Amino acid sequence: MNEQDQAGMVAGEQGPGADAGGVAGETERPGGILVDALRKARLAVIDTETTGFRVDQGARAIEVAIVRLWNLEPVTTFATLIDCVDAIPAEATKVHGITIEQTRGGFDNSGAWGAVTSVLRSVDAFVFHNAAFDLPFLAEIVGGDYIRSLHGEIETAEFRSTWLRKPVIDTLGLARALRGTAKNNLAQVARDLAVTQESAHRALGDVLMTARILPILASQYEARYATALDQFQRGSTDPNPLLWLAAESEEAMRRSEASFGRKVDFRKSAGLT
């Protein structure tokens, strides 16, 4: 088991720009209203690896990674395997390489709940590459029936209502809006944007790549839709640019999924509406 497979791997609090496999070091520093807002925000970039595609069909997260960003640089890095299932389908292991034996060294459900909720406190927005997939698994980690029985309905509900209702920025939605029908999986987007690669389909590598593509996509999105952003800020009672970026990324996902005859409502699927 390597270091990334250890339960509760936390790099700890570090100063902006510290080397946590982070965003610093890319050759260009994108700018603009959106990137400035991202730099000022406390962001949590999140990814899960799972036993299947849908929580409501019995799939569960067996790995979660979170990188908290300040000034768009990692200040906390957390990753853990989760020992919560009796078996992992072979087709899932083919994707992420995680075996049932590896998960036996991870947190159980209760330990995962405590670690994840601790890392996610005091953040301003969440970032995913495909929130519709990951958010239901995150919600299950912090609000499943087993967790409620251990931590109580009130404590679980309070976390879900306070922290899981933060703005959600979906880099997959931004990529689809900007790139159309091009391949928009995380590894391909990262290659096309010439950012540092990580091992794909492990949670920590995926969150680090997501953190790196975020400011580039935000800068490109602002350049293309500057008029819409200006109209939002002039007409909104809360002109926070990140609210606009989150709404735009979700709407882009809805439009792209509708073209395939599918619907996207990640908050509903995660039980957050």
Side-chain angles (χ1 to χ4, degrees):
M1 184 179 294
N2 60 38
E3 288 185 355
Q4 291 186 13
D5 290 332
Q6 297 294 326
M9 186 195 75
V10 180
E13 298 295 330
Q14 306 172 38
D19 183 8
V23 183
E26 304 297 344
T27 56
E28 265 186 66
R29 285 177 60 88
I33 294 171
L34 293 177
V35 173
D36 287 347
L38 289 169
R39 286 198 179 103
K40 295 173 183 176
R42 298 165 298 180
L43 305 173
V45 187
I46 305 163
D47 185 67
T48 63
E49 300 300 335
T50 70
T51 61
F53 293 106
R54 293 177 53 171
V55 170
D56 61 359
Q57 294 180 353
R60 292 293 178 265
I62 52 174
E63 184 179 47
V64 61
I66 305 168
V67 172
R68 287 179 47 156
L69 305 178
W70 173 248
N71 196 28
L72 284 173
E73 298 290 349
V75 292
T76 304
T77 303
F78 167 84
T80 185
L81 291 163
I82 304 173
D83 183 2
C84 64
V85 295
D86 295 324
I88 299 173
E91 56 268 27
T93 297
K94 286 181 182 178
V95 173
H96 47 56
I98 300 172
T99 65
I100 194 67
E101 291 77 20
Q102 288 175 298
T103 66
R104 295 301 182 234
F107 280 124
D108 61 12
N109 283 295
S110 182
W113 186 95
V116 168
T117 55
S118 176
V119 174
L120 291 182
R121 292 182 189 276
S122 302
V123 299
D124 299 315
F126 298 134
V127 181
F128 298 88
H129 193 80
N130 196 358
F133 178 85
D134 288 297
L135 191 55
F137 288 100
L138 179 67
E140 177 63 23
I141 290 171
V142 302
D145 291 338
Y146 177 75
I147 298 303
R148 284 194 291 270
S149 69
L150 289 173
H151 296 278
E153 294 284 350
I154 294 176
E155 186 176 1
T156 299
E158 186 268 347
F159 178 85
R160 285 166 65 90
S161 65
T162 303
W163 281 277
L164 289 184
R165 293 185 184 276
K166 300 289 186 180
V168 174
I169 300 167
D170 194 333
T171 55
L172 178 57
L174 298 178
R176 286 182 175 180
L178 291 165
R179 294 157 52 90
T181 58
K183 289 182 67 175
N184 289 303
N185 64 74
L186 180 58
Q188 185 63 55
V189 174
R191 280 193 294 270
D192 291 348
L193 296 178
V195 304
T196 303
Q197 300 287 295
E198 300 284 342
S199 298
H201 300 302
R202 286 303 299 265
L204 184 57
D206 285 355
V207 294
L208 291 171
M209 285 196 290
T210 301
R212 291 172 186 142
I213 69 173
L214 171 64
I216 302 173
L217 292 175
S219 180
Q220 292 178 353
Y221 200 86
E222 180 177 343
R224 183 173 296 184
Y225 299 106
T227 300
L229 173 58
D230 181 67
Q231 291 173 345
F232 167 81
Q233 291 192 291
R234 290 175 182 274
S236 175
T237 56
D238 185 352
N240 180 355
L242 297 189
L243 295 177
W244 181 79
L245 186 63
E248 288 287 302
S249 68
E250 184 176 359
E251 180 57 30
M253 285 296 293
R254 285 201 180 102
R255 289 195 303 268
S256 62
E257 290 296 293
S259 68
F260 298 108
R262 299 190 294 256
K263 293 183 178 179
V264 168
D265 190 339
F266 56 74
R267 293 189 182 277
K268 184 176 181 180
S269 63
L272 301 177
T273 58

